[in-house]
Amino acid sequence: MQEHTQNHIWRLLWEYDPNGLIAVDSNFTIVLVNPAFCRMFEVEEPNILGEAASSILGNIEHFQKVWNSQQVIRGIEREYSHPKLYLREVVFPIPEEKIIACIMVDISQEYQRRQELQHLKTETVLNVREVVDNQMKVAQEIAGLLGETTAETKVSLLKIIEAVEQEMV
């Protein structure tokens, strides 16, 4: 494949990648972002290049850890409040360029489904507990009523037995 064609394909991948991509230098200053990152964070590239990554991302401890260790960190899940996002991140060093890069996958819908499922499970457990409590209460009431009627029956039968025995004497 010709170099021109490869560069064109790489540019297209950069433009169309649905994942947010960001690169920061040793001062944790933003040096590169792709269009998906800008859409995710509702920013424009010219306005954030040269800005501190923390101004957009908030806590950047994971970037600092990668810088210090030069090791990849995978699977970080983070919630961003503005805009409301839930992302899975992979942060990795590119030593020859002296930068840290991050791939951000938007899992907001998956996170919301997990939250809804957790809510459903919690409600189901509460409902089951309520049903069991009600059944126990009804069972106790029935047992109490059976106990009362059994006692009344016993008293009546004892009176009949006593009356019959007196007649026999």
Side-chain angles (χ1 to χ4, degrees):
M1 197 181 290
Q2 292 181 331
E3 187 175 330
H4 171 72
T5 304
Q6 284 180 331
N7 286 340
H8 177 71
I9 291 172
W10 279 112
R11 251 185 265 114
L12 288 175
L13 283 171
W14 181 257
E15 293 291 321
Y16 287 97
D17 189 345
N19 301 312
L21 305 170
I22 182 174
V24 299
D25 63 17
S26 60
N27 296 318
F28 305 103
T29 300
I30 300 171
V31 294
L32 192 63
V33 292
N34 74 337
F37 178 91
C38 294
R39 283 190 300 276
M40 284 178 177
F41 287 91
E42 300 173 352
V43 295
E44 293 183 23
E45 183 179 0
N47 297 341
I48 62 168
L49 292 181
E51 292 292 317
S54 59
S55 68
I56 303 291
L57 304 176
N59 184 338
I60 57 167
E61 284 180 14
H62 51 303
F63 282 77
Q64 294 162 336
K65 280 182 187 175
V66 169
W67 183 262
N68 293 332
S69 70
Q70 292 295 298
Q71 301 290 317
V72 176
I73 298 179
R74 289 179 173 82
I76 301 165
E77 291 189 6
R78 288 194 55 199
E79 187 172 4
Y80 293 90
S81 56
H82 183 74
K84 188 74 173 156
L85 290 170
Y86 199 80
L87 305 176
R88 183 173 294 129
E89 302 176 354
V90 176
V91 185
F92 56 98
I94 303 176
E96 58 272 12
E97 294 295 325
K98 296 184 174 80
I99 61 172
I100 301 296
C102 180
I103 301 170
M104 301 172 156
V105 180
D106 187 352
I107 58 169
S108 299
Q109 289 180 337
E110 177 186 328
Y111 177 72
Q112 186 174 352
R113 279 193 301 270
R114 277 192 276 171
Q115 294 295 96
E116 289 169 0
L117 183 59
Q118 184 61 41
H119 179 72
L120 183 63
K121 286 178 182 179
T122 301
E123 284 216 353
T124 302
V125 167
L126 290 174
N127 288 340
V128 167
R129 280 190 178 142
E130 187 177 328
V131 167
V132 168
D133 288 347
N134 286 339
Q135 284 183 339
M136 289 302 292
K137 191 187 306 181
V138 168
Q140 288 171 347
E141 287 175 9
I142 290 171
L145 290 173
L146 284 174
E148 286 176 25
T149 58
T150 302
E152 289 172 1
T153 303
K154 181 179 179 181
V155 167
S156 297
L157 287 173
L158 287 176
K159 284 182 182 176
I160 292 172
I161 290 171
E162 206 174 282
V164 169
E165 285 179 340
Q166 282 179 359
E167 279 183 20
M168 289 174 38
V169 173

